[in-house]
Amino acid sequence: MLITTLTVKGMSCEHCVKAVEGSVGKLTGVSSVKVHLNEGKADVNYAPEKVSLEEIIETIDEQGYEAAE
Amino acid sequence: MLITTLTVKGMSCEHCVKAVEGSVGKLTGVSSVKVHLNEGKADVNYAPEKVSLEEIIETIDEQGYEAAE
């Protein structure tokens, strides 16, 4: 397991938090995800042999936000 | 049918728009509702004999926003 903090731009409310946490949390290999709305960050706990950071970032971007390492 | 424009404070993204439009749109007596996010307004088309403006405002407030005539 790795824990990475991503920067996520564009989140403005609790619905956005749920959109990010819900979509990333559903990915195989992600064991937990916690968004910090005020800081525009997301802590992701994942198994790199099962899911790549690129996939996680892409999943967030598909929800309409802009994630980066 | 009456058309009223309400002021709605606290909406910040498209999820908020859906929360307001979805909840108000489900009320009996409301035939349409259109949120204008940038202006913080919601146009509601409703039958006053079936639903009161107070009920509509309360429904929006329950979603976490602040509506007013």
Side-chain angles (χ1 to χ4, degrees):
Chain A
M1 279 292 166
L2 287 178
I3 300 180
T4 298
T5 299
L6 298 172
T7 300
V8 183
K9 287 187 190 164
M11 298 184 300
S12 55
C13 73
E14 285 304 321
H15 296 112
C16 297
V17 171
K18 283 183 191 170
V20 171
E21 290 185 345
S23 60
V24 174
K26 274 181 204 153
L27 292 173
T28 301
V30 171
S31 59
S32 72
V33 49
K34 174 72 188 157
V35 166
H36 306 283
L37 179 59
N38 293 338
E39 295 135 64
K41 305 272 186 192
D43 299 328
V44 186
N45 196 331
Y46 68 104
E49 69 275 18
K50 289 185 185 167
V51 63
S52 69
L53 206 50
E54 286 69 30
E55 288 175 89
I56 294 168
I57 289 173
E58 203 172 283
T59 298
I60 296 174
D61 290 357
E62 280 168 3
Q63 294 295 317
Y65 309 102
E66 205 179 316
E69 249 183 288
Chain B
M1 281 291 165
L2 286 177
I3 300 180
T4 298
T5 299
L6 298 172
T7 300
V8 183
K9 286 186 189 165
M11 298 184 300
S12 55
C13 73
E14 285 302 321
H15 296 111
C16 297
V17 172
K18 282 182 192 171
V20 171
E21 289 185 344
S23 60
V24 174
K26 273 180 202 151
L27 293 173
T28 301
V30 171
S31 60
S32 72
V33 48
K34 173 72 188 158
V35 166
H36 306 281
L37 179 59
N38 292 339
E39 295 133 65
K41 304 272 185 190
D43 299 328
V44 185
N45 196 331
Y46 69 104
E49 68 274 19
K50 290 186 184 164
V51 64
S52 69
L53 206 49
E54 286 69 30
E55 288 175 88
I56 293 168
I57 288 172
E58 204 172 281
T59 297
I60 295 173
D61 290 356
E62 279 167 5
Q63 294 294 315
Y65 308 101
E66 204 180 315
E69 249 182 290

